Amino acid sequence: MLFALAWRNIWRQPRRTALSLISIVLASAITIFLLALQQGSYSAMKENVLSLLDGFAQVQPEGYADDPSLRKAIDEPDALAARLETLEAVTAAAPRALTYVILSNGPRSYGSAVIGVDPSIETKVSTLDASIKEGRYLKPGDDGVTVIGAGLARNLKLKVGDELTMLGAARDGSVAADIVTVVGVFATGAPEIDRQVIETPISRFQSIFAMEGEANMIAVKGRRLADIQNALPELRTIAEEEGLVLRNWTELEPALHDVIMLDASFSVLLYVSLVVVVVFIILNTLLMSVLERTREFGMLMAIGMRPSEIGAMVWLELLFLAGIGAGLGIAFGAGITAWVEGRGLVFSGAEALFSQWNMPSTLYPDLNWTTALAGPLAIACSIGLAGLVPYARVRRLEPVSAMRAA
Amino acid sequence: MSVIVECQGVAKKYRQGQIDVPALRGLDLALEEGDFASLAGPSGSGKTTLLNILGGLDRPSEGEVRVDGVAITSLGNNALADLRLRKIGFIFQAYNLIPVLSAAENVEFILQLMKTPHKERRARAVEMLKAVALEGLEKRRPSQLSGGQQQRVAVARALASRPAIVLADEPTANLDTKTAEDLITLMSDLNKSSGVTFLMATHDQRVIARTRRHIVITDGRVSSDERRDGAAA
């Protein structure tokens, strides 16, 4: 009957209860939508940045990240890539070789990274081909050609069709030199790539740099970053069986990870503020209700109800409010978010801003169990905890003074 | 007859600013099983204070109070709440029913606090409401009942736990003459049939005339204690 009493008590002032519920529902719905949009934008940001060049994960020789030497190589990269592609989460695995060279065009010379890629696979892992602004991307069968970043092309005064001299050290320590023809210029919008990267077919790379069928890494891609994140244990097992290491996205793009964490930290402040405001609204309402019913509580004590039982009843009223509000909030918030998730949220006029992160101007909220439940549960739990205040107040009541209350 | 309630040297002082105001001054009183007693006295004489102390709602500054053999002055808050639940029934001037519960549920509520099994408490609630002539009104909420009917529910609630004593504070003050008469008759009948002790603080001469014992308090002490066997006709 305590449940029945608490339930009926919250409907004694239907308008007040409705207002309290509306504030919980709105706050829950807002947190669901904002959290889902935030997660969606983070996912878009991560997937777009990683898709540009890194891939969603990479298999590398041990210590390669700290000392990217040609000598740290994978012996049979094609076989390993094929093995990685047997995993359901993996849509493509592309072997790559990488070294650093001096690029020259006439009197101009610049340092650059040169990446040897297999054009037939690389386009399944990287979206660099979509960033070609002049000419074309590499294609299977290409030899002695390169695509170059727009910044580097500008610095070296190169255009499509020009020849470029490449000078570096081969794996065996000998001098490696080559002349390649520029077939395409890419502009990703990421200065560190556009000013410092060229790509050339891996077969030519292996020949010039004495790699003999070897690669320095295998970039792995899946349909969604989350798929690869979920498959990390299997990927790690394969890598370790080959004496290699697996690097996940946070290791490949630590700066992006830090930016996201920083943004998430600031947004926590927003969510906490929202929760605090809602909790104070509900607490204020309940304290008002407790004050109004002090005489009644005195009567309940007189007929034998313990103060702790009355406190529990008041707490139960709060939990009912929090539960109903959070439940309705989840239904409402998840409904709206799912609707937007299906259509996308277009940020008209923000294309230039978003392109800095290689992001589309249409974002899709990511509605999942976490984004749907985290906010409403935090609100409901905070309200439940705030119930300690009226509970403590009721427990301190003395029957006679309570019955004399106005 | 055994003594149900016994007060010895009960004093109560209230603090008002820097001054102690005495409400009771060494009051002695014993109520026996089956007493149907009225408690009268001028305003401020200590009637309500005495009822509060006898009911375990307030603690005396001095003296000893025993209810059904239990010395209540040394009990903790929870033990006092249990004593009120099991040994004492209260009837208030303003009925003080729980507004969101029906008549039957108001009666049942006491029994639920006593952890009486569901079927038994439902049957007892119906039985008590029948005893106060509210058969058929079990599902009505207090707001759907007249003042007299609400006070009858309060009487049923007070008796539901089979208490040692029922304490009533001005039970007829809010009722019209006819309803008040009916209520007094009802309480008198229940006193006779169940043997439960009644103590009613009242100014109502109709109530006083129907009780078999009349106690008067003046300045915090019993100034008159008159037994009138046969008064409650």
Side-chain angles (χ1 to χ4, degrees), chain B residues 102-116:
Chain B
S102 68
E105 286 169 337
N106 263 284
V107 180
E108 252 191 89
F109 187 66
I110 296 284
L111 300 168
Q112 194 191 18
L113 291 176
M114 294 172 70
K115 304 200 174 4
T116 308

Side-chain angles (χ1 to χ4, degrees), chain A residues 21-33:
Chain A
L21 284 176
I22 287 170
S23 39
I24 300 174
V25 168
L26 285 181
S28 298
I30 288 169
T31 55
I32 289 172
F33 184 78

Side-chain angles (χ1 to χ4, degrees), chain A residues 307-319:
Chain A
S308 59
E309 290 172 318
I310 301 171
M313 177 185 75
V314 172
W315 203 343
L316 211 51
E317 291 171 20
L318 200 61
L319 292 180

Side-chain angles (χ1 to χ4, degrees), chain A residues 125-354:
Chain A
V125 172
S126 160
T127 57
L128 198 74
D129 60 316
S131 304
I132 293 290
K133 301 300 175 194
E134 291 173 41
R136 63 169 174 85
Y137 188 63
L138 303 173
K139 62 183 182 187
D142 271 348
D143 190 27
V145 298
T146 188
V147 288
I148 183 169
L152 201 51
R154 190 172 52 249
N155 291 338
L156 288 168
K157 294 199 177 297
L158 285 168
K159 57 185 186 302
V160 172
D162 289 346
E163 287 189 333
L164 170 66
T165 303
M166 193 162 62
L167 186 65
R171 184 185 176 179
D172 56 9
S174 62
V175 172
D178 196 12
I179 295 173
V180 288
T181 303
V182 175
V183 293
V185 177
F186 58 81
T188 63
E192 70 277 12
I193 294 176
D194 293 344
R195 288 179 191 164
Q196 294 172 29
V197 173
I198 68 168
E199 283 191 354
T200 192
I202 193 168
S203 52
R204 178 80 169 203
F205 185 106
Q206 288 166 335
S207 165
I208 300 297
F209 293 97
M211 290 292 283
E212 295 166 3
E214 293 176 334
N216 298 112
M217 69 192 77
I218 295 176
V220 175
K221 188 80 184 293
R223 272 174 293 278
R224 300 289 307 270
L225 176 59
D227 296 341
I228 295 297
Q229 288 294 101
N230 292 335
L232 284 179
E234 292 104 303
L235 288 166
R236 186 162 286 119
T237 302
I238 293 175
E240 285 171 0
E241 282 173 6
E242 301 289 336
L244 304 168
V245 294
L246 181 79
R247 289 170 61 78
N248 63 21
W249 82 267
T250 60
E251 294 167 300
L252 295 173
E253 289 290 345
L256 177 62
H257 178 250
D258 291 347
V259 165
I260 287 174
M261 293 308 288
L262 186 67
D263 184 74
S265 305
F266 282 122
S267 57
V268 163
L269 289 177
L270 170 75
Y271 296 131
V272 168
S273 308
L274 189 63
V275 170
V276 167
V277 168
V278 172
V279 166
F280 270 93
I281 289 172
I282 304 302
L283 191 59
N284 181 48
T285 306
L286 196 79
L287 281 175
M288 199 186 299
S289 156
V290 165
L291 280 174
E292 284 171 359
R293 291 191 287 156
T294 302
R295 263 179 76 90
E296 186 181 316
F297 294 155
M299 178 273 293
L300 289 172
M301 280 188 263
I303 64 172
M305 205 170 173
R306 292 180 177 192
S308 59
E309 290 172 318
I310 301 171
M313 177 185 75
V314 172
W315 203 343
L316 211 51
E317 291 171 20
L318 200 61
L319 292 180
F320 276 137
L321 271 181
I324 297 168
L328 290 175
I330 289 169
F332 180 58
I336 294 279
T337 308
W339 186 78
V340 177
E341 190 179 28
R343 285 158 180 77
L345 193 62
V346 182
F347 290 84
S348 304
E351 290 84 355
L353 179 70
F354 280 43

